[in-house]
Amino acid sequence: MLQTCLFPAAGYGTRFLPATKSLPKEMLPIITKPLVHYGVEEALESGMDNMAFVVGRGKRALEDYFDISYELEHQIAGTSKEPLLTDIRKIMGSCTFSFTRQNEMRGLGHAIYTGKTLVRDEAFGVILADDLCINEDGENVLSQMMRIYERYRCSIVAVMEVEREQTKSYGVVSGRFIEDDLLMVDDMVEKPDPSEAPTNLAIIGRYILTPDIFDILEHTKPGKNGEIQITDALKTQAKQGMVLAYKFKGRRFDCGSIDGFMEATNFFYAKEYKK
């Protein structure tokens, strides 16, 4: 069973300025819970209890959120407001939290490599909190991927079909299907032009990675935009062994965009408050 889930959370969140000038984008709330809360819940439901965060300057709110707030809790103790803390108290009582800092923004691959000190020498999950995923009909996305990992013991990326013109915003995979919705990867391209994209299968913010990815990342040269791309490292890993891409069951909200954030907000409002 995997124990650690890594949360790369050092980005600036520029699409949500000026709010993200002082508030980490991972702390933007969908109704009453910040995005990172949903991500940690998903990891915990998947069986992981060691939450590891790669943060940057100005991200102290993430640490404070998963800590006791003595003054607040004293003020609302015994009132009708106290049950509102039930979910976060459950998470805090079930998980350990560790943090390290990414001193410069050099891409997702570099952020994951920075988390090496927090990850034991074992496979681990990765959640990008601004990709909010749900599956109302069964297991959450990371749990689905865990079942696949238990069978194949290799790195796995979650993918979804997107419109061809949207491939320029994603890492895109190609390969051959070995099961329904499960692809053995032979190539990955970071944000290809739609005319050059090998498929329309786009990687979203859910990964299971085997620990050898750190050695590969250490020797991965900067790629697109001068950043260390996780897609380049996974492409190398696929050539050396095996990487799988899984067309997950469920729904993903791109909460790194205004449209996706509002879509998620409206969905959860209708789900939780308009019953």
Side-chain angles (χ1 to χ4, degrees):
M1 183 67 68
L2 278 66
Q3 294 180 312
T4 301
C5 189
L6 187 67
F7 291 81
Y12 293 120
T14 53
R15 284 183 283 184
F16 284 89
L17 285 170
T20 47
K21 184 174 181 291
S22 60
L23 181 71
K25 68 176 180 178
E26 294 82 11
M27 288 299 297
L28 292 171
I30 302 297
I31 313 299
T32 60
K33 295 194 296 188
L35 287 167
V36 69
H37 186 126
Y38 291 94
V40 170
E41 281 184 329
E42 181 177 343
L44 185 59
E45 289 171 7
S46 303
M48 301 179 192
D49 59 9
N50 179 31
M51 308 301 166
F53 291 81
V54 177
V55 299
R57 289 178 295 278
K59 299 275 189 168
R60 180 62 183 270
L62 285 164
E63 297 183 51
D64 290 342
Y65 184 73
F66 294 108
D67 198 358
I68 295 172
S69 175
Y70 288 103
E71 182 177 354
L72 170 65
E73 298 198 22
H74 174 74
Q75 289 295 324
I76 67 173
T79 73
S80 61
K81 299 295 184 182
E82 188 172 15
L84 298 176
L85 294 177
T86 299
D87 285 351
I88 185 62
R89 285 174 171 172
K90 178 182 177 182
I91 286 175
M92 290 165 54
S94 303
C95 304
T96 59
F97 298 89
S98 56
F99 297 81
T100 193
R101 180 170 287 191
Q102 185 184 14
N103 293 322
E104 53 181 330
M105 306 300 105
R106 296 180 56 198
L108 178 57
H110 182 261
I112 291 173
Y113 182 75
T114 301
K116 179 180 179 181
T117 57
L118 304 179
V119 177
R120 303 180 185 91
D121 187 22
E122 60 186 18
F124 59 101
V126 177
I127 287 181
L128 305 187
D130 55 2
D131 270 351
L132 176 53
C133 297
I134 63 165
N135 181 24
E136 295 186 283
D137 298 322
E139 291 182 315
N140 68 46
V141 175
L142 202 57
S143 292
Q144 295 170 42
M145 296 171 70
M146 288 276 282
R147 304 295 168 259
I148 297 169
Y149 175 78
E150 289 170 1
R151 289 156 49 206
Y152 289 95
R153 303 285 172 167
C154 67
S155 289
I156 305 163
V157 299
V159 296
M160 61 181 287
E161 292 187 24
V162 299
E163 297 296 328
R164 177 69 64 165
E165 59 268 22
Q166 294 180 320
T167 57
K168 60 185 177 182
S169 300
Y170 296 90
V172 175
V173 306
S174 65
R176 63 181 180 86
F177 282 95
I178 58 174
E179 295 182 23
D180 290 343
D181 298 329
L182 192 61
L183 188 82
M184 184 179 293
V185 174
D186 60 24
D187 196 13
M188 290 189 176
V189 185
E190 181 65 22
K191 297 179 179 178
D193 184 273
S195 64
E196 299 175 354
T199 69
N200 68 333
L201 290 174
I203 302 170
I204 63 111
R206 298 293 184 276
Y207 304 78
I208 289 178
L209 302 176
T210 51
D212 57 307
I213 196 68
F214 292 121
D215 289 334
I216 297 171
L217 282 167
E218 185 175 7
H219 297 95
T220 298
K221 295 180 180 179
K224 200 173 186 71
N225 300 324
E227 298 179 335
I228 307 297
Q229 302 291 348
I230 187 63
T231 48
D232 291 338
L234 285 166
K235 182 177 178 179
T236 299
Q237 195 177 45
K239 291 179 179 178
Q240 294 177 353
M242 184 168 70
V243 174
L244 298 176
Y246 172 60
K247 289 179 63 178
F248 64 92
K249 297 175 178 63
R251 183 174 181 179
R252 171 254 191 177
F253 298 96
D254 177 13
C255 292
S257 70
I258 300 293
D259 288 345
F261 183 83
M262 292 307 302
E263 185 182 6
T265 299
N266 291 331
F267 175 86
F268 279 91
Y269 177 72
K271 182 173 182 287
E272 301 294 336
Y273 292 89
K274 285 204 170 185
K275 295 180 180 179

